[in-house]
Amino acid sequence: SQTIHQWPATLVQPVGSPLSLECTVEGTSNPNLYWYRQAAGRGLQLLFYSVGIGQISSEVPQNLSASRPQDRQFILSSKKLLLSDSGFYLCAWSFKGKSNQPQHFGDGTRLSIL
Amino acid sequence: AQRVTQPEKLLSVFKGAPVELKCNYSYSGSPELFWYVQYSRQRLQLLLRHISRESIKGFTADLNKGETSFHLKKPFAQEEDSAMYYCALGVYSGAGSYQLTFGKGTKLSVIP
């Protein structure tokens, strides 16, 4: 069966510091990968998605970037964090397909910027 | 562009009472709808999808294309149903990418 791991679970960073959140998937190959931000009362906002190694699509302009250096590894980064980057970040994966493809989520990372 | 609306941020019901979590969507194509649930201290997980036409934990949801709705229902609420519920619309956007658009979520609180 497939599993998804996301770390760290919580992170406290000062403003202006860099960021690296990691997500890995096991038990499948060539999955679609996604980064979301979840905010209370605002639902899930898709930040980035990837259909393959080195292929990143950004949904919203922001201070963050994503990379996929390996098939089952997805990284969310920032060179300089802003206070507004605080939030709860979720990684997800799905099989490829044109229809009825649910996404499977990790445990999330709570990011606090001081 | 597609949109998913969950009009209630919070829904409180008594144990044993019926539950209906509302979800409306806007999409010009053929819709594919999902319900996700997030229990306290657990990860967001798939509850059910319209194509499966199944009942999960006593919950059902029927796609009504005329009303563009996919409401989640359960005849008798249980305390363990208390959670955050998200409705999502799936769309194939080409080049191998299938994306979900989520509603803002409804927090269900079942009162003992």
Side-chain angles (χ1 to χ4, degrees), chain A residues 71-92:
Chain A
D71 180 44
R72 291 168 289 177
Q73 183 185 29
F74 205 24
I75 298 172
L76 184 67
S77 304
S78 175
K79 291 182 179 178
K80 286 186 178 181
L81 285 167
L82 306 172
L83 281 174
S84 57
D85 292 324
S86 291
F88 192 63
Y89 292 86
L90 285 170
C91 182

Side-chain angles (χ1 to χ4, degrees), chain A residues 30-108:
Chain A
N30 198 26
N32 283 348
L33 298 172
Y34 308 84
W35 277 111
Y36 287 89
R37 181 172 171 174
Q38 184 181 27
R42 300 178 66 180
L44 278 76
Q45 180 186 33
L46 179 63
L47 303 175
F48 301 94
Y49 68 90
S50 172
V51 300
I53 296 174
Q55 301 178 62
I56 309 295
S57 296
S58 174
E59 288 298 295
V60 293
Q62 59 209 317
N63 185 43
L64 302 170
S65 62
S67 61
R68 185 170 177 173
Q70 300 180 42
D71 180 44
R72 291 168 289 177
Q73 183 185 29
F74 205 24
I75 298 172
L76 184 67
S77 304
S78 175
K79 291 182 179 178
K80 286 186 178 181
L81 285 167
L82 306 172
L83 281 174
S84 57
D85 292 324
S86 291
F88 192 63
Y89 292 86
L90 285 170
C91 182
W93 74 272
S94 74
F95 291 113
K96 284 192 167 39
K98 293 185 177 181
S99 66
N100 194 32
Q101 298 298 328
Q103 292 173 15
H104 308 276
F105 289 84
D107 288 325

Side-chain angles (χ1 to χ4, degrees), chain A residues 3-5 32 34 36 38-39 41-44 46 49 51 59 88 90 94-107, chain B residues 9 32-34 36 38 42-46 49-52 84 86 91-105:
Chain A
T3 57
I4 179 169
H5 303 280
N32 283 348
Y34 308 84
Y36 287 89
Q38 184 181 27
R42 300 178 66 180
L44 278 76
L46 179 63
Y49 68 90
V51 300
E59 288 298 295
F88 192 63
L90 285 170
S94 74
F95 291 113
K96 284 192 167 39
K98 293 185 177 181
S99 66
N100 194 32
Q101 298 298 328
Q103 292 173 15
H104 308 276
F105 289 84
D107 288 325
Chain B
K9 286 187 178 180
E32 297 181 355
L33 278 300
F34 305 81
Y36 279 79
Q38 189 169 30
Q42 294 188 28
R43 63 176 58 179
L44 188 64
Q45 56 188 284
L46 177 68
R49 44 185 145 176
H50 91 270
I51 197 170
S52 301
M84 193 73 177
Y86 292 95
V91 175
Y92 179 67
S93 58
S97 174
Y98 185 89
Q99 296 184 25
L100 296 181
T101 298
F102 286 85
K104 294 184 178 181

Side-chain angles (χ1 to χ4, degrees), chain A residues 12-15 83 86 112-114:
Chain A
V12 181
Q13 292 283 96
V15 170
L83 281 174
S86 291
S112 299
I113 310 301
L114 303 178

